[in-house]
């Protein structure tokens, strides 16, 4: 708690710990990591910096941590990170990922109880107020209950930012709540670059999210899939030039929406909530 010292490996410095080699899994269980800072020159990654080793965070609170570069609390790379029934609150990154940055990694957010995982009041100077998913093949899976509220990004993706090109994937299952997140640029809750994929599988609700001062939930330049049985409720709407596939699920639209390419199949439905408005650049023959 409240560490501002720096130690680690090579030129990478962290104020809690740094690990960059294969070995036994790192487990953080029933713990609190609070009010640590990793700031200054050279550019500092999260107060925890972990690569090439799997990591579990369970029933823990990670709050009030700050880095001057990527990942306010954690930068995680090249392995599997699982977070279960934990809270990331009030963490801050100078650039990417207020709570954490995932690079070339698989991230499982598993909410097993009444509260699930909670990401709140995290802030990034650039992209991904809570989570920044970058690097070749990074995948973030939300299962059970996961809540993102009051996170903020100086640029894009108030809660989650997904790198395109080499394909980052977000799978939203179970119960996901995105509430009062804010981006100064685009994507009040989620920003998906060209080439990135968002799959909605369960029940997702978006309320009070804003981008550049305007109601907005998702900015999609990649692909959004609303799968069979999924219900996605957008209070602030979706924008972007990407493709939205409603493949058997229900997309409920509030606010102003602009979809680049719209495809509807297998009984998929669009429902309009209060003040819902939709512009579509191209409607697929389906």
């Amino acid at each position: 708690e409240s560490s501002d010292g720096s130690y680690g490996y090579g030129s990478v410095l962290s104020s809690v710990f740094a690990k960059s080699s294969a070995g036994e899994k790192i487990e953080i269980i029933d713990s609190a990591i609070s009010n640590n800072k990793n700031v200054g020159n050279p550019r500092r990654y999260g107060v925890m910096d972990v690569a090439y080793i799997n990591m579990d965070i369970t029933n823990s609170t990670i709050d009030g941590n700050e880095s001057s570069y990527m990942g306010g609390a954690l930068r995680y790379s090249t392995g599997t990170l699982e977070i279960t029934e934990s809270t990331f609150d009030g963490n801050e990154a100078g650039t990417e990922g207020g709570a954490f940055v995932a690079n070339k990694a698989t991230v499982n957010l598993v909410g097993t109880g009444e509260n699930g995982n909670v990401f709140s009041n995290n802030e990034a100077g650039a992209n991904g107020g809570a989570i920044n998913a970058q690097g070749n093949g990074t995948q973030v899976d939300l299962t059970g209950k996961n809540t993102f509220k009051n996170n903020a990004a100086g640029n894009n993706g108030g809660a989650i930012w997904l790198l395109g090109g080499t394909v980052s994937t977000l799978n939203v299952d179970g119960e996901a709540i995105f509430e009062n997140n804010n981006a100064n640029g685009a994507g009040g809750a989620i920003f998906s670059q060209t080439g990135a994929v968002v799959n909605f599988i369960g029940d997702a609700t978006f309320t009070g999210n804003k981008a550049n001062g305007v109601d907005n939930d998702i900015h999609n330049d990649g692909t959004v899939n609303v799968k069979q049985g999924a219900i996605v409720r957008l209070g602030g709407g979706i924008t972007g030039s990407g493709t939205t596939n409603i493949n058997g699920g229900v997309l409920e639209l509030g606010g102003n929406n602009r979809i680049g390419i719209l495809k509807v199949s297998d009984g998929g439905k669009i429902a309009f909530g209060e003040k819902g408005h939709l512009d579509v650049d191209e409607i697929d023959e389906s």
Side-chain angles (χ1 to χ4, degrees):
E1 182 177 0
S2 299
S3 169
D4 59 6
S6 295
Y7 48 87
Y9 52 89
S11 62
V12 178
L13 301 174
S14 295
S15 61
V16 176
F17 62 78
K19 174 70 172 175
S20 180
S21 63
E24 297 295 328
K25 181 188 293 182
I26 294 174
E27 295 182 314
I28 298 174
I29 303 171
D30 298 330
S31 299
I33 298 177
S34 304
N35 303 320
N36 303 283
K37 294 183 183 296
N38 192 26
V39 298
N41 292 310
R43 297 179 299 183
R44 306 295 179 88
Y45 291 111
V47 298
M48 298 178 284
D49 190 47
V50 178
Y52 303 106
I53 183 171
N54 294 338
M55 183 176 186
D56 288 355
I57 300 173
T58 305
N59 195 32
S60 295
T61 299
I62 317 294
D63 66 314
N65 301 288
E66 180 184 356
S67 76
S68 55
Y69 191 36
M70 292 186 181
L74 170 66
R75 185 188 73 145
Y76 184 82
S77 178
T78 319
T80 298
L81 168 65
E82 185 162 300
I83 299 173
T84 305
E85 291 296 301
S86 294
T87 297
F88 283 70
D89 180 75
N91 302 289
E92 183 178 349
T95 59
E96 317 292 333
F100 68 82
V101 163
N103 179 48
K104 301 178 183 178
T106 298
V107 180
N108 301 316
L109 302 183
V110 184
T112 57
E114 181 178 351
N115 295 322
N117 292 306
V118 178
F119 291 80
S120 56
N121 304 302
N122 302 289
E123 184 175 350
N127 302 307
I131 298 173
N132 182 292
Q134 56 180 253
N136 186 22
T138 294
Q139 178 172 311
V140 180
D141 297 331
L142 277 59
T143 59
K145 185 174 183 180
N146 288 276
T147 300
F148 296 82
K149 61 182 181 181
N150 301 319
N151 301 288
N155 290 340
N156 302 318
I160 299 175
W161 181 90
L162 301 171
L163 180 72
T166 54
V167 184
S168 296
T169 303
L170 172 66
N171 296 312
V172 183
D173 202 349
E175 180 185 4
I177 299 169
F178 294 84
E179 179 180 340
N180 297 332
N181 301 288
N182 182 73
N184 287 343
I190 297 173
F191 184 95
S192 175
Q193 280 194 332
T194 302
V197 178
V198 180
N199 295 311
F200 288 104
I201 304 163
D203 189 339
T205 302
F206 295 75
T207 56
N209 303 293
K210 292 184 181 294
N212 196 22
V214 177
D215 290 344
N216 175 259
D217 300 313
I218 300 172
H219 184 89
N220 171 43
D221 289 332
T223 302
V224 168
N225 298 309
V226 184
K227 302 278 192 173
Q228 187 72 46
I231 302 175
V232 180
R233 303 175 182 89
L234 301 179
I238 181 172
T239 57
S241 61
T243 298
T244 298
N245 298 311
I246 307 176
N247 185 14
V250 177
L251 180 63
E252 182 177 303
L253 300 176
N256 292 316
N257 301 268
R258 187 171 194 95
I259 292 174
I261 301 172
L262 176 63
K263 300 180 180 181
V264 183
S265 61
D266 295 334
K269 296 179 180 179
I270 295 177
F272 286 93
E274 184 178 359
K275 299 180 181 179
H277 177 85
L278 173 63
D279 290 320
V280 179
D281 294 333
E282 177 182 343
I283 297 179
D284 183 81
E285 290 181 359
S286 63

